[in-house]
Amino acid sequence: MERHAPPWWTLAPLAALLVFLIVVATAVGSVSVPLGDTAAVILKNLGFGFLGPVDQKWDAIIFLVRLPRVLGAVIIGAALAVAGTVMQGMLRNPMADPGIIGVSSGAGFGAVTAIALGLTVQGLWYLPLFASLGSLLAAGIIFLLAIRGGKMGIFTLILAGIAVSTFFGAGTSLVLSFSSRDSIAQFIFWSMGNLYNVRWESLALVAGPIGAGMLLLLWFTRDLNILLLGEEEAQSVGLNVFRTRVLLLVLVSVTTASAVCISGPIGFVGLIVPHILRLLIGPDHRLLLPAAALGGACFLVACDLVARLVLGAQEINVGIVTALLGAPYFLFLLLRSEKKETGL
Amino acid sequence: MTAPLAARNLRCTIGNKEILKGLDLTLAPGEILGILGPNGAGKSTLLRCLNGLLPSEGTVELHGRLLASLKTRQIARESTLMHQNTSVCYPFPASEVVMMGRYAHQGRFRPESAEDRRIVGEVMNFTDTAKLAAQPIDTMSGGERQRVLFAKSLAQDTPVLLLDEPSASLDISYQEQIFRFAEKLAGEGKAIVAAVHDLRLAARYCTRVILLSHGTVLAEGTPETVLTPAHLQTAYGVRVRVYRNPVTGQLDFHLTEDEIVGHRPHIHVIGGGGSASEVLRKLSGGNCTLTCGVLSPGDSDLQVAEVYGIPAVLSPPFSPIGDQAHQENRLHVAEADVTILCNLVIGEQNLRNLEAAAEARNLVVLEDDNPADRDFTGGRGLEIYRNLLGRATVLESAQLSDWLASRSP
């Protein structure tokens, strides 16, 4: 039988674009480094130093400051887009993203708690730690609420998600209303999502869980395709829908919580990247999920570049850029799907 | 050998409503078991329970192994369920959808094999979907999509196939196709259970049927024994005539209007050669008891009488009416409030029909064509006929309804 699935090499242009964006984003900044030198520094630090001599004056700025930030954008963008693709596929809903399982509101509550307790002054790792704990706590509560008698209803999951998110949001507001101006400012800054503080250390911290989460999710691409058939169809071809859903949700929450903990919540990456790619390459997760990883990485690296450059010396938070691009696109999708429904 | 599928005392409750109230069934290889019954009788619920999609009490066994003890993947290698009206709204090419049917045979470490591809190719050829292989399923017509989903179920390569109203919402050109596929598969030894809406299709293709009513088995057996007017009235709450369609030779069903209670005049219709068909059709809906005679097997009047369940007096064709038939006919004439003599052709064989008509208390003669042109007895029949006219009401067929209406209180 002939195969009609799109071949893997469809991914090649995206991969090439990502490499190009990484080099450009590392080269461009308040001090511009020639692209060739940038590539040379990156290659040298990857162990390809034998390829040629490197201008030492760029080494620190490229390798210690910019590269970790760009790579942070790569793995966080990839993680959010993969998580979003999985959520949309699993819930068979194009408007779904990991926010549904409370990871953003939980992270916010964790972050505000760390800030209010003054822990952020004591050490760099308390904020990410609390943010990820908050994420997992919120997601855990939502799972427990949604699982009933060996089944997990999608509607219950979504409704429980809304209720728990609202609850954690209120908790965040409550803590904020007793916080100092500085704490509030710190929280707002965090909550807008940024990649300022991404260093090699923070990457080392989250690369493990994010990498593992994404790899495992990539392993479930066939199952995700089958879930698109609908719950009963999936069950009758032999997929244990309940177990698969729980597993996928756990992987999505770990991946997203790890991403969010170093960057703060960055909206719309998980929503629009899967969408655009689904339009371009179709619904097959065996291709869509790796494409989302590459596409999410490209999108966030590009957005972070815009965030750094758009106002000259004054950087803006990358979350603002993704939302400014994402919200109109979301509305466009919404209006288009309504048009389809009403047949206009 | 253990049955590919067996259920004992199967019960299923959804919410507070008990949908299945203790069902037993056993399926043998090569069988097409039809599950019939009105909407809400529990047909789809039964299939879901048999496939483990809904929790149920009682036991379901697949080749002697308890369904409850099997993993989802193991169940999917034993039995497949083709759902009613599945809409796949994602643009997967047909071949990929069919390949999804192979899921239970693949492993996390063992992706698609040559064997998987061979089977997918085979079932797509079988269901005539090979030419659709590259087409996205969400752009297909209902019939094409149903065939692709059927191919997906077949790709599961299971000994048991459960089909939930496989022909519902399909064009008539496709309705029978799925059943013809099923017939072939049963011939290859698959065991098939199909929830069927259409009684004709069930009667034609099912080797055995179960009639469900309110979650219990009302009747079980061959279509002929189960699909009787009495059973159908109990299950569906309507009066249904069951007859063999003379053209197709298949069981056919005709829904009749509810009986009107009260005094029903007895009308005996004497016809033959198609002359009584229109009269019987017209009168069958009315408030009267009908009989007819004397007819011969093969006569279209007799087929009409059978469709409407009208008792008919029979006599062998191509010979004069026998003594026994004549006596029966006279008896009906004697009992009838009105006897109608149709615009029939008069021959040696049916002269006795005219003789019987002569004894009628209240005779109506329908005369559309000149009786002289209809007489093939050399004048003998015409004479009897003319004698009748003196004491009969002579009408044209078109006037009959009005005449009857003017007589009824």
Side-chain angles (χ1 to χ4, degrees):
Chain A
M1 190 206 62
E2 265 180 90
R3 296 309 317 277
H4 298 284
W8 63 269
W9 49 256
T10 322
L11 297 175
L14 267 177
L17 178 66
L18 180 59
V19 171
F20 173 74
L21 280 172
I22 290 173
V23 175
V24 171
T26 317
V28 178
S30 44
V31 184
S32 271
V33 181
L35 286 184
D37 289 324
T38 311
V41 171
I42 296 173
L43 286 174
K44 188 208 88 175
N45 286 292
L46 288 174
F48 293 98
F50 54 86
L51 290 174
V54 169
D55 195 337
Q56 289 300 322
K57 67 179 170 186
W58 306 127
D59 207 15
I61 186 164
I62 295 292
F63 190 69
L64 295 182
V65 180
R66 288 194 194 156
L67 192 57
R69 174 166 177 166
V70 171
L71 291 184
V74 169
I75 65 167
I76 290 163
L80 293 177
V82 164
T85 311
V86 171
M87 290 301 290
Q88 288 169 15
M90 190 171 56
L91 302 181
R92 298 212 296 164
N93 185 339
M95 302 296 177
D97 76 351
I100 282 180
I101 46 170
V103 283
S104 311
S105 59
F109 183 72
V112 85
T113 309
I115 294 168
L117 293 176
L119 294 170
T120 47
V121 190
Q122 313 223 344
L124 205 55
W125 306 118
Y126 284 108
L127 185 62
L129 178 70
F130 271 63
S132 51
L133 287 180
S135 280
L136 296 176
L137 179 69
I141 293 173
I142 290 166
F143 294 169
L144 290 181
L145 288 172
I147 294 172
R148 283 281 159 72
K151 281 203 140 194
M152 178 160 53
I154 290 303
F155 277 112
T156 325
L157 181 78
I158 292 172
L159 292 178
I162 292 172
V164 172
S165 291
T166 311
F167 187 80
F168 274 87
T172 304
S173 306
L174 187 69
V175 175
L176 281 177
S177 49
F178 293 105
S179 297
S180 67
R181 241 167 222 286
D182 280 354
S183 298
I184 294 171
Q186 200 185 346
F187 175 75
I188 287 175
F189 181 79
W190 177 86
S191 72
M192 289 191 297
N194 68 82
L195 298 161
Y196 294 119
N197 297 319
V198 179
R199 298 285 176 270
W200 285 114
E201 295 88 331
S202 33
L203 280 186
L205 196 70
V206 298
I210 290 180
M214 284 205 298
L215 279 178
L216 287 170
L217 285 173
L218 284 170
W219 208 10
F220 277 89
T221 49
R222 203 160 21 149
D223 310 60
L224 276 165
N225 283 350
I226 285 172
L227 278 177
L228 287 185
L229 293 177
E231 182 166 351
E232 289 210 340
E233 282 282 340
Q235 191 87 23
S236 34
V237 300
L239 178 76
N240 187 326
V241 173
F242 171 70
R243 209 180 54 193
T244 309
R245 275 190 186 149
V246 170
L247 228 124
L248 289 174
L249 283 174
V250 168
L251 290 174
V252 164
S253 14
V254 169
T255 309
T256 319
S258 312
V260 165
C261 85
I262 54 167
S263 65
I266 298 176
F268 289 105
V269 181
L271 190 68
I272 68 170
V273 173
H275 245 296
I276 295 170
L277 291 169
R278 200 174 284 118
L279 288 177
L280 287 176
I281 63 174
D284 192 331
H285 285 93
R286 285 172 296 183
L287 197 66
L288 181 59
L289 215 57
L294 292 171
C298 289
F299 179 69
L300 198 58
V301 170
C303 284
D304 190 43
L305 190 62
V306 172
R308 280 193 283 146
L309 298 179
V310 70
L311 293 183
Q314 170 69 43
E315 262 191 42
I316 58 172
N317 287 35
V318 69
I320 298 172
V321 179
T322 58
L324 280 177
L325 292 175
Y329 182 71
F330 187 88
L331 282 175
F332 163 73
L333 287 176
L334 194 70
L335 293 175
R336 205 182 56 160
S337 69
E338 268 179 6
K339 262 188 194 167
K340 259 189 198 165
E341 273 164 26
T342 53
L344 287 170
Chain B
M1 204 190 101
T2 52
L5 176 69
R8 270 192 304 279
N9 196 21
L10 195 66
R11 292 168 179 279
C12 178
T13 306
I14 298 173
N16 292 325
K17 193 162 189 280
E18 194 175 25
I19 310 284
L20 301 179
K21 300 167 182 165
L23 292 180
D24 294 283
L25 67 87
T26 310
L27 193 63
E31 264 194 308
I32 303 179
L33 174 63
I35 308 291
L36 305 174
N39 290 332
K43 301 191 293 282
S44 295
T45 307
L46 173 61
L47 293 184
R48 282 178 168 73
C49 289
L50 292 177
N51 203 34
L53 291 177
L54 281 176
S56 55
E57 289 170 54
T59 58
V60 177
E61 285 181 5
L62 294 166
H63 277 126
R65 293 193 293 171
L66 270 180
L67 181 85
S69 70
L70 297 176
K71 292 180 179 156
T72 316
R73 192 176 280 265
Q74 292 173 311
I75 297 171
R77 286 189 218 134
E78 289 289 336
S79 113
T80 177
L81 171 58
M82 180 165 127
H83 292 83
Q84 190 183 348
N85 298 329
T86 300
S87 62
V88 180
C89 35
Y90 293 87
F92 282 107
S95 61
E96 291 301 319
V97 174
V98 178
M99 183 57 86
M100 290 182 193
R102 297 297 300 161
Y103 179 81
H105 299 269
Q106 299 166 343
R108 201 155 291 292
F109 296 97
R110 196 183 73 73
E112 275 169 38
S113 64
E115 166 85 347
D116 292 331
R117 281 192 283 278
R118 183 184 63 76
I119 289 175
V120 167
E122 256 177 40
V123 297
M124 292 191 79
N125 282 329
F126 178 75
T127 55
D128 196 23
T129 50
K131 59 182 181 298
L132 302 171
Q135 198 179 325
I137 190 161
D138 60 333
T139 62
M140 288 181 184
S141 72
E144 291 170 338
R145 190 179 59 223
Q146 197 78 341
R147 259 149 59 213
V148 170
L149 293 170
F150 189 56
K152 180 193 69 110
S153 282
L154 294 185
Q156 275 181 249
D157 197 19
T158 55
V160 176
L161 261 94
L162 309 172
L163 310 175
D164 192 357
E165 305 216 354
S167 67
S169 79
L170 288 188
D171 290 347
I172 48 166
S173 54
Y174 291 117
Q175 280 180 0
E176 296 214 6
Q177 193 175 39
I178 298 252
F179 283 95
R180 282 198 291 269
F181 289 145
E183 214 169 32
K184 271 191 211 164
L185 293 162
E188 292 165 16
K190 303 243 186 214
I192 299 168
V193 185
V196 192
H197 208 71
D198 189 319
L199 299 178
R200 285 178 192 86
L201 286 174
R204 171 149 189 205
Y205 290 99
C206 297
T207 52
R208 188 156 62 98
V209 294
I210 287 180
L211 184 59
L212 286 187
S213 176
H214 303 291
T216 54
V217 175
L218 191 72
E220 181 178 355
T222 61
E224 285 81 2
T225 55
V226 172
L227 299 174
T228 62
H231 287 152
L232 294 174
Q233 173 145 29
T234 314
Y236 292 88
V238 289
R239 285 162 56 75
V240 179
R241 304 269 185 228
V242 182
Y243 63 102
R244 257 190 205 283
N245 187 312
V247 179
T248 61
Q250 310 293 340
L251 274 195
D252 212 332
F253 305 86
H254 178 79
L255 206 66
T256 58
E257 287 170 29
D258 281 336
E259 230 163 311
I260 302 161
V261 212
H263 172 70
R264 297 160 57 85
H266 176 184
I267 300 179
H268 183 62
V269 180
I270 296 177
S275 62
S277 298
E278 185 58 30
V279 177
L280 293 175
R281 263 196 291 273
K282 263 189 199 155
L283 296 182
S284 68
N287 183 21
C288 58
T289 305
L290 282 171
T291 53
C292 65
V294 173
L295 304 174
S296 300
D299 192 328
S300 60
D301 283 346
L302 182 60
Q303 290 166 356
V304 173
E306 282 177 352
V307 169
Y308 292 103
I310 300 165
V313 180
L314 290 181
S315 185
F318 309 118
S319 55
I321 291 167
D323 291 339
Q324 199 193 334
H326 186 49
Q327 285 313 318
E328 267 185 67
N329 201 21
R330 288 178 61 208
L331 209 62
H332 282 309
V333 170
E335 283 172 357
D337 297 301
V338 178
T339 298
I340 300 176
L341 179 68
C342 298
N343 186 46
L344 42 67
V345 169
I346 303 161
E348 294 294 343
Q349 293 90 358
N350 68 351
L351 277 179
R352 281 180 136 179
N353 262 340
L354 299 185
E355 287 168 17
E359 296 171 16
R361 250 188 293 160
N362 205 337
L363 181 66
V364 174
V365 174
L366 297 180
E367 194 175 291
D368 298 330
D369 306 313
N370 185 353
D373 297 341
R374 292 187 270 128
D375 177 37
F376 293 88
T377 60
R380 218 151 56 86
L382 192 62
E383 198 185 327
I384 307 174
Y385 182 84
R386 292 233 161 97
N387 281 334
L388 290 176
L389 294 182
R391 26 192 305 279
T393 312
V394 182
L395 298 170
E396 284 179 27
S397 292
Q399 300 169 311
L400 180 63
S401 302
D402 287 344
W403 184 80
L404 285 170
S406 71
R407 277 174 45 89
S408 60

